[in-house]
Amino acid sequence: MDEIFFDKRALELKYQMPLGKISEFFKGLENGKIMASKCVDCNEIYFPPQANCPNCIKSKIEWVELSSDAILETYTIINVKPTSFLKYPDYVVVIGKLKEGVKVLSWLEIDDFKKIRIGMKMKLKVVKREENYYTYEFYPAE
Ligand SMILES: [Zn+2]
């Protein structure tokens, strides 16, 4: 096998996003709540939140706090990481289906990857990453 040269440098990436109509989502995270947008006309719930309903092409939305109860639908273990996550040990990204019907993509906090099962019960919680931003993660509920 050919030798490979690795060059490892820290990359700091700063960006600004206009939050506009979904600022409630970020306010919710700071208060420990995971909020989804719901169309007032057709009752469809969107997560990640959307300011406009693709069904109705309307912008009348309200905010609902999601339950934390989910079922693991699928997962993958990440051992080849993006540069910004190199300092983390291997981690698991899952898709969890909440009882509201929305699917959430996030990390699963678990001590042993052998415990992961399709269909296992999970809970969703707000976490603050050491990079100083709020996000959400699943953890096993059983
Ligand atoms: Zn709608």
Side-chain angles (χ1 to χ4, degrees):
M1 192 176 145
D2 289 336
E3 288 184 50
I4 299 173
F5 173 75
F6 284 100
D7 184 12
K8 194 166 134 186
R9 283 174 282 181
L11 170 69
E12 186 174 63
L13 185 62
K14 288 187 177 179
Y15 50 90
Q16 294 183 312
M17 291 186 299
L19 298 179
K21 293 186 203 167
I22 60 157
S23 62
E24 285 298 316
F25 169 71
F26 294 96
K27 282 183 205 157
L29 285 181
E30 286 176 16
N31 292 308
K33 294 177 178 177
I34 301 165
M35 307 296 287
S37 62
K38 182 180 172 186
C39 174
V40 172
D41 288 299
C42 72
N43 292 322
E44 189 74 31
I45 296 176
Y46 294 101
F47 191 86
Q50 296 197 28
N52 306 296
C53 178
N55 285 342
C56 310
I57 325 291
K58 287 181 183 169
S59 303
K60 222 168 135 189
I61 60 159
E62 63 184 12
W63 290 91
V64 290
E65 184 179 354
L66 292 176
S67 71
S68 68
D69 300 316
I71 298 290
L72 191 152
E73 289 218 324
T74 190
Y75 70 96
T76 188
I77 296 168
I78 308 293
N79 48 41
V80 179
K81 295 155 213 154
T83 311
S84 50
F85 289 149
L86 281 178
K87 66 183 168 200
Y88 288 99
D90 291 357
Y91 55 90
V92 190
V93 172
V94 305
I95 293 178
K97 186 173 184 181
L98 269 67
K99 65 181 180 191
E100 290 88 346
V102 293
K103 293 183 181 182
V104 175
L105 176 77
S106 94
W107 288 22
L108 169 65
E109 176 193 288
I110 193 162
D111 56 351
D112 181 358
F113 294 164
K114 290 189 204 106
K115 293 178 183 170
I116 304 169
R117 297 282 178 270
I118 301 293
M120 70 187 272
K121 290 181 182 162
M122 305 181 295
K123 294 246 182 212
L124 192 60
K125 66 173 178 182
V126 175
V127 292
K128 190 174 189 182
R129 286 265 159 78
E130 61 185 75
E131 294 88 352
N132 206 29
Y133 65 89
Y134 290 95
T135 185
Y136 42 86
E137 272 181 19
F138 285 111
Y139 59 98
E142 46 193 21

